[in-house]
C-alpha cells in the first residue's frame, strides 16, 4: 500500500490508470471505517484499468491466474520507477525442482496444494515436496507422449513476506475430471522452517481466506 501511495502518476505514466485505480481503492478501504454506514468499495476503476469490459466480468476466471497476471503486469510496469522491485520483495519466493538428472530454479507467487487424505497444511506440504516414484509421474493423459523427466522433489529456497496458498481441488489428471471435497485444516499461525533451505524464521499469520465456487 505504501509503495502505491508514494508512486506519483508522473513516475508511472505508462500505468497511471492502474496506479490511480489502486490508490483510489486503498483510500476508500481505509477511510470507509470512519463512516457509520459505509457503502461497498467499487472495484470498477480497477477492472477498467485492467482493460476488462462488462463482457469479461461474466467470464469465469481462476483466482490464482488473475493474481499472477496482475502481479506480473504491475511488476514489469514498475521498472524504472521508485517502486521497482517492490512486488518481488513482497510476493515472490524461490523454489527448486529436482529432476532425475538436472535442477531448475523458479520464482513463484503462490504454493499450489492438492488436498488429499492428509487433511492439514503441514502433512500436505510434506507430501508436496517429498520424493515420488517415477511411475507416479509417467501415467495419465501425458503418458502417450513418452516418458517425461521426473520431478524427484521440490525444495523452497526462500518464501515471500506475503505468502499465498491455492487449494487445487479439481483433478485434471483423471478423466472425467473430478473435484476433491477432502477436509483441509490450517491454523491462524503456521511455521514453515522445515520446508525452506535458507535460515528463518518462516512464520506466518493468517490474513484472509478466499472461498469461491
Amino acid at each position: 500500500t505504501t509503495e502505491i501511495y508514494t508512486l506519483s502518476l508522473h513516475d508511472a505514466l505508462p500505468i497511471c490508470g492502474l496506479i490511480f485505480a489502486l490508490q483510489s481503492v486503498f483510500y476508500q478501504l481505509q477511510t470507509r471505517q470512519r463512516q457509520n454506514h459505509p457503502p461497498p468499495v467499487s472495484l470498477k476503476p480497477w477492472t477498467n484499468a485492467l482493460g476488462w469490459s462488462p463482457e469479461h466480468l461474466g467470464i469465469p476466471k481462476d483466482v490464482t491466474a488473475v493474481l499472477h497476471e496482475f502481479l506480473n503486469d504491475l511488476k514489469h510496469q514498475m521498472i524504472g520507477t521508485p517502486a521497482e522491485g517492490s512486488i518481488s520483495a513482497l510476493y515472490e519466493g524461490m523454489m527448486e525442482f529436482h529432476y532425475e538428472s538436472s535442477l531448475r530454479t523458479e520464482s513463484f507467487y503462490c504454493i499450489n496444494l492438492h488436498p488429499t487424505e492428509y487433511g492439514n497444511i503441514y502433512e500436505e506440504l510434506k507430501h508436496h515436496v517429498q520424493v515420488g516414484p517415477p511411475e507416479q509421474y509417467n501415467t495419465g493423459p501425458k503418458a502417450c507422449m513418452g516418458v517425461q523427466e521426473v520431478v524427484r522433489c521440490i525444495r523452497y529456497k526462500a518464501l515471500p513476506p506475503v505468502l499465498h496458498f491455492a487449494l487445487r481441488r479439481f483433478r485434471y489428471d483423471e478423466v472425467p475430471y473430478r473435484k476433491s471435497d477432502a477436509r483441509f485444516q490450517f491454523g491462524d499461525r503456521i511455521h514453515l522452517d522445515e520446508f525452506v533451505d535458507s535460515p528463518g524464521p518462516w512464520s506466518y499469520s493468517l490474513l484472509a481466506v478466499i472461498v469461491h465456487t
Side-chain angles (χ1 to χ4, degrees):
T1 304
T2 302
E3 293 290 348
I4 295 297
Y5 276 147
T6 57
L7 185 61
S8 73
L9 300 186
H10 176 73
D11 291 329
L13 190 58
I15 52 164
C16 59
L18 181 56
I19 293 298
F20 180 78
L22 289 176
Q23 289 176 346
S24 175
V25 169
F26 291 157
Y27 177 78
Q28 291 181 62
L29 287 171
Q30 292 177 334
T31 57
R32 69 193 301 269
Q33 300 175 359
R34 306 170 190 170
Q35 306 173 33
N36 292 329
H37 301 286
V41 174
S42 173
L43 294 179
K44 189 173 181 180
W46 182 69
T47 56
N48 287 343
L50 289 175
W52 292 1
S53 65
E55 290 75 19
H56 285 98
L57 300 180
I59 301 174
K61 296 178 176 64
D62 181 84
V63 173
T64 306
V66 172
L67 173 68
H68 284 207
E69 179 183 348
F70 170 66
L71 291 179
N72 271 329
D73 185 54
L74 201 55
K75 172 184 174 180
H76 288 98
Q77 296 289 351
M78 283 180 169
I79 294 174
T81 74
E84 181 177 349
S86 59
I87 296 298
S88 295
L90 279 175
Y91 300 108
E92 196 171 290
M94 297 299 296
M95 63 194 303
E96 282 183 349
F97 290 92
H98 291 247
Y99 294 89
E100 289 283 343
S101 57
S102 62
L103 178 71
R104 188 177 83 247
T105 301
E106 287 187 3
S107 63
F108 69 92
Y109 291 131
C110 181
I111 294 179
N112 295 300
L113 297 178
H114 299 269
T116 59
E117 72 278 4
Y118 298 101
N120 69 73
I121 192 167
Y122 294 111
E123 294 303 318
E124 291 290 353
L125 279 168
K126 290 176 183 177
H127 178 69
H128 176 65
V129 302
Q130 72 181 0
V131 174
E135 61 271 14
Q136 178 179 343
Y137 301 94
N138 294 325
T139 59
K142 291 186 177 180
C144 61
M145 299 171 60
V147 176
Q148 309 296 307
E149 190 174 18
V150 177
V151 178
R152 298 298 294 170
C153 69
I154 297 172
R155 293 300 306 170
Y156 289 99
K157 308 304 293 181
L159 300 178
V162 181
L163 179 60
H164 294 90
F165 286 93
L167 301 187
R168 298 298 190 180
R169 291 189 174 275
F170 283 95
R171 296 294 303 269
Y172 295 104
D173 58 345
E174 299 179 4
V175 179
Y177 303 145
R178 68 179 180 88
K179 181 179 180 180
S180 170
D181 293 319
R183 183 179 178 84
F184 186 84
Q185 296 178 313
F186 51 89
D188 56 3
R189 279 192 65 81
I190 57 174
H191 308 281
L192 305 179
D193 296 68
E194 64 179 294
F195 303 105
V196 188
D197 289 345
S198 53
W202 301 103
S203 299
Y204 293 86
S205 297
L206 179 66
L207 292 181
V209 176
I210 299 177
V211 179
H212 62 97
T213 57

